[in-house]
Amino acid sequence: MVVSFDFGYILDVLPLLLTGLKMTVLISVTSIAVSLIIGMSGAVIRTLGIPVLSQIVVVYVDLIRNTPLLVHVFYLYFVLPALGIKLSAVAVGIIALSLWGGAFAAENFRGGTDAVPHAMIESGQALGMSTWQIVRFIMIPLGFRISFPAFSNTAVSVIKNSAYMTSIGVAELTFMAMDRIAYDFKTYEMLATIAVIYLILIWGTSYLFRIIERKLDYKTKTTKGGGINGGIIQKLKFSPRRAD
Amino acid sequence: MSTSQPKLSIRNLQKQYGTNVILRGVDIDVYAKEVIVIIGPSGSGKSTLLRCINGLETINGGEVYIDDQKIVHTPQAIQKVRQRIGMVFQSYNLFPHMTVMENLLLAPVKVQGRSKTEVLPQARILLDQVGLLDKEDSYPAQLSGGQQQRVAIARSLVMNPEVLLFDEVTSALDPERVRDVLDVMKDLAARGTTMLIVTHEMGFGRDVGDRIIFMDQGVIVEQGPPEQVFGNPQEERTRQFLRNAM
């Protein structure tokens, strides 16, 4: 079978796909931000072992991680209205992705907050800090830095998983493409184009996260570190960022 | 020795982990401006003693008083006490994600509620005192162990503590760096800082201590002025320890 590939068509539909991309970016960025908050709160709750809340976090994380995202989406979109809660498709998309990302982020960050050396916590205690101050100024910032690489994986997955929202008609990138295919039957062109758009988006995001990771990392380096990051330390040392 | 009221009073202090008894009734009075050096073999309970004073360890018996006030271990009370009793650790424990200056400012500003503009000049004076004024924007990872330990000392001092506890602060340092830290501590002693120093540096202890306490197996075996404990120890256990240590 000979496949004809119409490049001109891609240019024609590009504006349409870009509106879809905008929606993809909107729900992804919002969900990543909420995941971060859910994840960090969950991690702190579990690391501190706060009764009741800890158990709630464990159940939440297990529930989300052991069921498919698509089931969460359908549940929120089709079951909640029966219980009197009617949400827009976009809202469901953001909530589902946030809950999904939050569960994974909670595990990511727990790895980080658990890895904060006990000596750091004692050091805060010896300075008269309260538990909350130790959490706020030591455990969260240090735990965040330690677990940021793991969290960036979760964040990238949130972007990829936003394509599931096609199933409930959120006008994101995949939906726009599938919808248009139904009119024009330019399946190959369309799928190839969105694949490239996703690739650029996710590559770009990963690159951004790597930059952030490196900026965060130099502060956490120990005296024994050095190595290839030595150069970065030197460069960042004179960067404009100042404490106050 | 002064007959006035002690700054810190430790009475019959007992500590155990399960069946493992660490402190078997320790009594010490620390007077203002006094420098007490605690020596003894590993496992004798020296570090645990310091950690019981500022509540990093719970105690199983006895009391600790600061200015005649009994130290109680409720979170709020112990947080107040810790602002009055500074502690410097063997492993420095600077916050790695903060610059030297941020390390110094954190507790005075957040815990004591002082303004940054008030603390900043004091922090700079202290950094100067420990010889690291040019490092205020460095991160701990960029400093040597000895430099980090001197920052840690400045971080304790900026809280204006009434007593400072030093827990083997030179044990993790290479010999060349030890002196820088000891010099800072000598300087503090000369300024009349009240200190309890747990150390393996016998020469330093002899120089700087007003009183030497030798501990073994959770009790004070012998104590007295440095000339006596180092020069003419009364107990066989002390003599044996010093023979091996010096």
Side-chain angles (χ1 to χ4, degrees), chain B residues 173-230:
Chain B
L173 301 176
D174 65 84
E176 300 225 337
R177 305 289 185 182
V178 168
R179 230 195 44 211
D180 297 337
V181 173
L182 295 183
D183 284 345
V184 167
M185 290 164 71
K186 275 183 191 163
D187 181 45
L188 289 177
R191 286 165 191 264
T193 314
T194 312
M195 304 195 275
L196 262 89
I197 303 171
V198 166
T199 186
H200 290 298
E201 298 286 332
M202 298 302 158
F204 164 75
R206 190 174 193 152
D207 279 358
V208 83
D210 296 315
R211 185 156 39 121
I212 309 296
I213 291 178
F214 171 64
M215 282 180 70
D216 189 27
Q217 300 193 344
V219 292
I220 294 176
V221 175
E222 180 165 0
Q223 59 177 312
E227 315 77 67
Q228 183 203 310
V229 176
F230 288 112

Side-chain angles (χ1 to χ4, degrees), chain A residues 7-25:
Chain A
F7 283 100
Y9 176 75
I10 294 173
L11 287 178
D12 291 341
V13 294
L14 208 51
L16 181 86
L17 291 180
L18 290 182
T19 59
L21 176 65
K22 248 193 252 173
M23 178 58 82
T24 293
V25 170

Side-chain angles (χ1 to χ4, degrees), chain A residues 118-131 133 136-138 141-142 145 218-224 233-234 237 241-244, chain B residues 51 54 56 79 82-83 85 87 89 91-99 102 106-107 110-111 116 137-144 148 155 159:
Chain A
H118 189 66
M120 288 301 137
I121 293 161
E122 274 193 344
S123 191
Q125 286 174 332
L127 288 165
M129 292 169 77
S130 66
T131 304
Q133 286 170 330
R136 163 75 183 76
F137 298 113
I138 301 168
L142 266 183
R145 284 172 168 83
Y218 83 107
K219 299 174 178 177
T220 325
K221 294 209 73 61
T222 61
T223 14
K224 294 206 174 76
I233 290 171
Q234 283 310 311
K237 191 177 168 186
R241 189 199 161 275
R242 271 294 313 268
D244 44 358
Chain B
R51 295 166 58 82
N54 73 345
L56 287 182
Q79 281 159 30
R82 285 170 182 155
Q83 294 174 44
I85 304 177
M87 184 163 189
F89 298 88
S91 51
Y92 350 122
N93 302 357
L94 294 179
F95 304 128
H97 57 299
M98 298 180 188
T99 64
E102 286 166 344
L106 180 67
K110 300 297 178 188
V111 177
K116 211 181 232 181
D137 289 329
S138 301
Y139 284 90
Q142 297 162 260
L143 304 179
S144 71
Q148 290 189 55
R155 182 175 68 173
M159 298 285 283

Side-chain angles (χ1 to χ4, degrees), chain A residues 62-125:
Chain A
D62 279 357
L63 199 69
I64 298 289
R65 295 213 317 168
N66 296 306
T67 48
L69 175 60
L70 204 53
V71 172
H72 312 157
V73 175
F74 286 157
Y75 193 90
L76 290 170
Y77 197 64
F78 297 116
V79 180
L80 282 192
L83 304 171
I85 304 165
K86 181 101 183 73
L87 297 166
S88 72
V90 174
V92 166
I94 290 172
I95 293 170
L97 281 175
S98 298
L99 289 176
W100 185 90
F104 281 84
E107 287 297 277
N108 299 152
F109 288 139
R110 192 167 65 95
T113 49
D114 277 356
V116 171
H118 189 66
M120 288 301 137
I121 293 161
E122 274 193 344
S123 191
Q125 286 174 332

